[in-house]
Amino acid sequence: MKIIPRVATTLAALAAASSASAQSIDETVNAVFASSTGWFVNFIFAPIPGTGFPWIVAWLVIAASLFTLYFGFIQFRVIRHSLQIVSGKYSDPNDAGEVSHFQALATALSGTVGLGNIAGVAVAVGIGGAGATFWMILAGLLGMASKFTECTLGVKYRNEFANGTVSGGPMYYMTKGFAERGLPGGKFLAILFSIFCVLGALGGGNMFQANQAHEQLAGVFGAYPGWITGVVFAGIVFAVIVGGLKSIAQVTEKVVPFMGILYVGTALVILLMNVQHIGPAFGQIIDGAFTGAGVAGGVVGALIQGFKRAAFSNEAGVGSAAIAHSAVRTKEPITEGFVSLLEPFIDTVVICTMTALVIIITGQLMIDPTTGDYILNEAGRIVTLDGSSGVGLTSAAFASAFSWFPYVLMVAVLLFAFSTMLSWSYYGLKAWTYMFGEGKNQELSFKILFCLFIVIGASANLGPVIDFSDAAIFAMAVVNITALYFLMPIVKRELNSYLTRLRSGEIKRFH
Amino acid sequence: MPDTIVVACDGSDASARALDFAHARAKQIGGDLLVVHVLEWSPYSFLTPDEIAERHVRRKEELARADAAIIGPIIAKYKDKGVKIETAVKYGHVIDTLIDAATTANAVEIISGRTGNSGVMTRVFGSVAGTLAQVSPVPCTIVP
């Protein structure tokens, strides 16, 4: 027990002693980080020649639209059946005790519902205005088809090891699926995906989370050096993923869903309190989506922000969900695809929209009363009521209705950040061990690297971190979607076979 | 077809007494025994990614452990004692699973022990035997 006061004293001493030098540590980390990742970020977000439109956004939109068309608007056709599967109506009672569809969905959701829904949305509307929300919702709806495709393949081609544990995800369907279709290059894509998955785990799944967690803490307790938050977070994550302190992870997994419900519940109450503003807010959303309403880059600017942040939040097409969903026990891989398509709906269409509506109806975005357009600062961002951005903007919007909410949000952000980090440490580890082989040393080296990046993420400025996080996550989508194009006929075959058997009554309903 | 009696078994002394009673009763009516052990499980609980990856293995281990520690000794004790005994280890909510087993087997009776908690504990946490008596679709005997 003596160790706790000792650690606290040491931390306090460190914080005090470092007040002069800390800023410079943060600045050094920031400068090194920005200069070493800049080329990668520039490549991923390069505009299509002759336009201002990043090719990566077009890549995601086209893929999601193609999957939607190829599978005949699957996301709208089977949503009722998806809900029946999640509620267990088609689960064989003899399989009780195995991972249920509900559990797979809940765990995958706790990996995706997080800062993307709170901070990411604020970034989107802070740059793209209310109109970004429309494109975000559209991206969420289209993304359901991408998720359906990748998660079906994730289950179909997972690996079952001799000890009974399972590993699945894009790297497995790339190798096995390509081999089955007699296509070359599966192994190459799998390695490329794994490299980007490790970067994504360190970026969006780690540094972005640490960074925003620090911003939230600094917002409530006053500014202090970011590396302190980083070290504390890294210590806890280290205790869980290296030290095997599973109880922390288990508590987090159980508390996170309730924080999610509390967040959505509070947003709903704020919307009800401002019910007269909901109509005009949707007016602003639609208007902004097609006129640009004076944001930097106009309609395209709003669209890019909406699509970027939706993809970052729900990860559809990125391939991470295929890892998360692959462990479920089912005789029909397609059923997990049906379940997973609910994820972008809950994450983006419901939760992200709630955040955006709260920011819009509480009047956080400053509008010039004479022109009706947003007031922009030198950087092209919309000026907000108290000058905040990211998670601070969401916090300010909620605080305008409930002054105590920033404290709840702080706890929620910390928990979301923590659970997202745990999920991504798992995804990253799966990619790492795919490349370097299963084994204690390989696992430990990744886990230590992961913890180091938490400190870097908390110390760096939002700009470079968010750019690198996006770039790494989207790089995963480049490889994953390429593979999905080649493998989608397999999913179609599974889908047609399943739907025929469902109609004929061969697929039994148990409850 | 002989009548089936379902007996709930969790390996406790109380369930051993219930089993003795059920065995005597089955002999009396010339019926069979179906011994059911339920591993409490909800498909709606939350699991970590690691727990999900390991779930299938853990389930196998849990079933093997239940077989070795609870079902094995029962079969050894009542073998060749004049009553046909079947056993089942199932996952689920205790009451629902017992009732489900009784319904599927067309059982004529459910027999269960009780822990004997009283007062506050029962008020807060409820009691398996008490609830079973309330909702059982067939006659239910609680053995003290």
Side-chain angles (χ1 to χ4, degrees):
Chain A
M1 293 306 283
K2 276 180 189 160
I3 195 154
I4 294 172
R6 206 177 296 158
V7 169
T9 320
T10 315
L11 274 179
L14 272 174
S18 64
S19 57
S21 63
Q23 238 21 60
S24 65
I25 296 177
D26 282 6
E27 277 164 18
T28 315
V29 169
N30 201 34
V32 171
F33 184 72
S35 63
S36 57
T37 59
W39 63 272
F40 179 60
V41 173
N42 289 339
F43 169 68
I44 293 290
F45 293 117
I48 297 169
T51 66
F53 200 90
W55 66 273
I56 188 70
V57 176
W59 173 260
L60 284 169
V61 181
I62 292 168
S65 310
L66 277 177
F67 295 136
T68 302
L69 292 175
Y70 184 72
F71 295 111
F73 293 89
I74 187 74
Q75 59 269 60
F76 306 113
R77 278 200 292 150
V78 298
I79 201 153
R80 191 162 157 262
H81 187 55
S82 298
L83 292 169
Q84 288 171 336
I85 293 173
V86 173
S87 64
K89 292 197 165 53
Y90 286 85
S91 304
D92 186 342
N94 291 324
D95 290 340
E98 297 282 7
V99 176
S100 66
H101 287 292
F102 176 88
Q103 287 165 327
L105 177 68
T107 304
L109 263 177
S110 74
T112 63
V113 173
L115 289 172
N117 307 69
I118 300 174
V121 175
V123 172
V125 296
I127 301 174
T133 315
F134 175 87
W135 299 111
M136 204 172 61
I137 294 172
L138 186 67
L141 291 172
L142 292 174
M144 291 165 79
S146 308
K147 198 122 293 201
F148 159 77
T149 317
E150 62 187 3
C151 289
T152 303
L153 290 168
V155 175
K156 187 171 168 63
Y157 292 109
R158 65 177 170 204
N159 251 19
E160 287 200 52
F161 297 107
N163 67 3
T165 54
V166 288
S167 266
M171 36 302 177
Y172 295 96
Y173 58 70
M174 282 162 187
T175 40
K176 291 185 185 177
F178 273 54
E180 192 180 301
R181 293 209 63 200
L183 296 165
K187 184 81 184 170
F188 171 75
L189 284 179
I191 296 285
L192 202 59
F193 175 83
S194 300
I195 294 170
F196 290 140
C197 183
V198 167
L199 289 179
L202 298 176
N206 178 337
M207 291 199 296
F208 176 73
Q209 312 295 327
N211 189 280
Q212 290 290 285
H214 171 69
E215 187 173 303
Q216 182 67 15
L217 282 169
V220 174
F221 296 121
Y224 68 96
W227 62 266
I228 295 179
T229 308
V231 168
V232 173
F233 251 81
I236 302 173
V237 172
F238 187 86
V240 174
I241 65 176
V242 181
L245 257 182
K246 288 198 173 151
S247 49
I248 298 181
Q250 280 158 352
V251 169
T252 312
E253 284 304 318
K254 284 162 185 66
V255 176
V256 159
F258 295 104
M259 293 309 284
I261 292 165
L262 182 66
Y263 181 78
V264 173
T266 313
L268 269 177
V269 172
I270 296 177
L271 295 183
L272 286 176
M273 284 161 60
N274 294 281
V275 74
Q276 74 279 18
H277 295 133
I278 294 180
F282 271 105
Q284 273 188 53
I285 289 171
I286 302 287
D287 192 41
F290 297 102
T291 65
V295 301
V299 174
V300 176
L303 185 147
I304 292 171
Q305 283 306 321
F307 270 99
K308 254 172 89 168
R309 304 266 55 96
F312 188 72
S313 170
N314 66 40
E315 297 166 16
V318 167
S320 52
I323 304 177
H325 280 275
S326 62
V328 77
R329 285 270 139 190
T330 173
K331 295 175 191 80
E332 305 286 345
I334 203 89
T335 53
E336 201 49 31
F338 291 154
V339 169
S340 68
L341 62 76
L342 295 171
E343 244 179 85
F345 186 82
I346 298 170
D347 179 279
T348 308
V349 181
V350 177
I351 305 183
C352 285
T353 308
M354 290 277 181
T355 306
L357 279 175
V358 170
I359 293 175
I360 296 164
I361 64 171
T362 56
Q364 299 299 312
L365 307 173
M366 301 288 280
I367 295 176
D368 187 337
T370 51
T371 61
D373 283 350
Y374 292 115
I375 304 172
L376 304 183
N377 63 16
E378 317 80 64
R381 290 182 175 235
I382 298 168
V383 177
T384 54
L385 214 51
D386 66 350
S388 54
S389 66
V391 73
L393 177 56
T394 310
S395 188
F398 278 81
S400 68
F402 300 108
S403 59
W404 46 265
F405 198 76
Y407 298 100
V408 177
L409 197 65
M410 181 189 73
V411 177
V413 163
L414 294 181
L415 282 169
F416 284 156
F418 186 63
S419 79
T420 307
M421 278 180 194
L422 291 184
S423 297
W424 274 93
S425 74
Y426 180 79
Y427 304 153
L429 183 66
K430 288 286 149 191
W432 186 268
T433 53
Y434 179 81
M435 289 190 286
F436 300 111
E438 309 266 341
K440 284 263 176 292
N441 290 340
Q442 289 91 324
E443 289 190 9
L444 189 64
S445 54
F446 174 76
K447 287 171 176 174
I448 291 173
L449 189 70
F450 192 84
C451 292
L452 277 178
F453 268 77
I454 298 175
V455 183
I456 300 178
S459 309
N461 277 346
L462 178 62
V465 167
I466 207 169
D467 287 345
F468 173 74
S469 302
D470 283 356
I473 298 245
F474 289 136
M476 290 168 70
V478 174
V479 188
N480 185 45
I481 287 172
T482 306
L484 294 184
Y485 283 142
F486 287 105
L487 300 176
M488 63 186 189
I490 296 175
V491 180
K492 185 123 182 187
R493 211 167 54 217
E494 293 267 335
L495 175 66
N496 289 342
S497 151
Y498 180 85
L499 290 181
T500 312
R501 283 178 292 138
L502 183 68
R503 269 184 234 116
S504 72
E506 195 184 326
I507 306 267
K508 267 199 302 186
R509 186 174 160 155
F510 289 94
H511 300 282
Chain B
M1 217 175 97
D3 290 334
T4 301
I5 295 174
V6 165
V7 52
C9 179
D10 63 359
S12 64
D13 290 345
S15 78
R17 289 194 295 275
L19 201 55
D20 275 341
F21 177 82
H23 188 264
R25 173 115 181 83
K27 216 170 193 173
Q28 207 175 28
I29 64 168
D32 294 344
L33 273 188
L34 172 59
V35 180
V36 180
H37 174 61
V38 183
L39 296 159
E40 187 75 39
W41 167 260
S42 164
Y44 304 111
S45 60
F46 295 102
L47 303 176
T48 65
D50 282 324
E51 285 176 316
I52 283 194
E54 291 171 357
R55 185 62 217 150
H56 183 60
V57 188
R58 296 278 164 272
R59 182 177 185 266
K60 271 189 183 164
E61 289 171 359
E62 287 161 10
L63 289 174
R65 205 180 307 139
D67 256 339
I70 295 172
I71 301 298
I74 291 173
I75 291 177
K77 183 176 174 189
Y78 293 100
K79 203 170 80 176
D80 304 328
K81 295 267 173 76
V83 173
K84 189 180 155 210
I85 297 187
E86 279 193 41
T87 59
V89 180
K90 288 178 177 294
Y91 278 91
H93 180 262
V94 175
I95 307 289
D96 293 349
T97 311
L98 284 172
I99 288 176
D100 196 49
T103 315
T104 312
N106 272 326
V108 292
E109 186 177 356
I110 300 178
I111 297 178
S112 162
R114 64 172 163 86
T115 47
N117 283 334
S118 59
V120 180
M121 289 291 278
T122 309
R123 274 172 201 278
V124 176
F125 296 109
S127 124
V128 168
T131 315
L132 192 62
Q134 295 267 0
V135 297
S136 174
V138 290
C140 175
T141 306
I142 310 291
V143 180

